[in-house]
Amino acid sequence: MDKNKKKKNLNAKNTFYLIYVAATFLSFILFGWKAGLTVLLLGFAIIVFMQRANIIMLLGLSQYGKKNYVKALKLLKAAHMSGAATMNNSYNYAYFLLREGRPDEARTAINYALRNPRITEAETYKGKEILSMIYYRQGDYKKATEIMQ
């Protein structure tokens, strides 16, 4: 059932992109280059808005790679807390919190992500894996093992 939801979501995105390309093309042909450029820029702005959490996450990962950990965690938190956040955004944020020695905050972020009603089975497993790592790092080996079973 989760695969069907993902397919429907993927089809909705593909439909949006198809309509966007068609509208841009038609506006160029029917109304000239100014209208075409306007539709192109408007559609681009919509896509950037829809992908804002992923863009913020990429900026955070870039800062983390540059060893600017404070700014990286700030950006990753913004991606995690945005309304457009994916499970991957939340998992990256929790994982980097754990790497920075903040397991309680990481556990809060993971538990928040795991309560998402749209989560797939694979995403649930990945979240439990990170949660298990958190407990393992805190020395609660029994709890870490129970989560992965």
Side-chain angles (χ1 to χ4, degrees), residues 25-117:
F25 182 72
L26 287 174
S27 62
F28 267 109
I29 291 176
L30 298 176
F31 304 109
W33 70 272
K34 289 180 183 177
L37 186 61
T38 303
V39 171
L40 183 72
L41 292 175
L42 182 63
F44 183 72
I46 291 169
I47 291 170
V48 168
F49 179 75
M50 289 172 24
Q51 295 295 325
R52 67 190 181 279
N54 291 331
I55 294 168
I56 295 169
M57 182 190 71
L58 288 174
L59 292 172
L61 293 176
S62 172
Q63 290 300 315
Y64 199 88
K66 293 176 184 175
K67 300 190 185 317
N68 188 352
Y69 301 128
V70 174
K71 190 170 185 178
L73 285 174
K74 186 177 180 181
L75 287 166
L76 290 170
K77 182 177 183 176
H80 165 70
M81 296 303 288
S82 76
T86 63
M87 300 309 291
N88 201 30
N89 299 134
S90 298
Y91 293 159
N92 277 326
Y93 176 57
Y95 180 73
F96 286 116
L97 281 171
L98 181 62
R99 285 187 66 171
E100 289 302 306
R102 296 157 67 176
D104 293 330
E105 292 176 62
R107 187 173 52 239
T108 302
I110 285 293
N111 287 329
Y112 175 78
L114 287 173
R115 281 181 290 197
N116 186 337

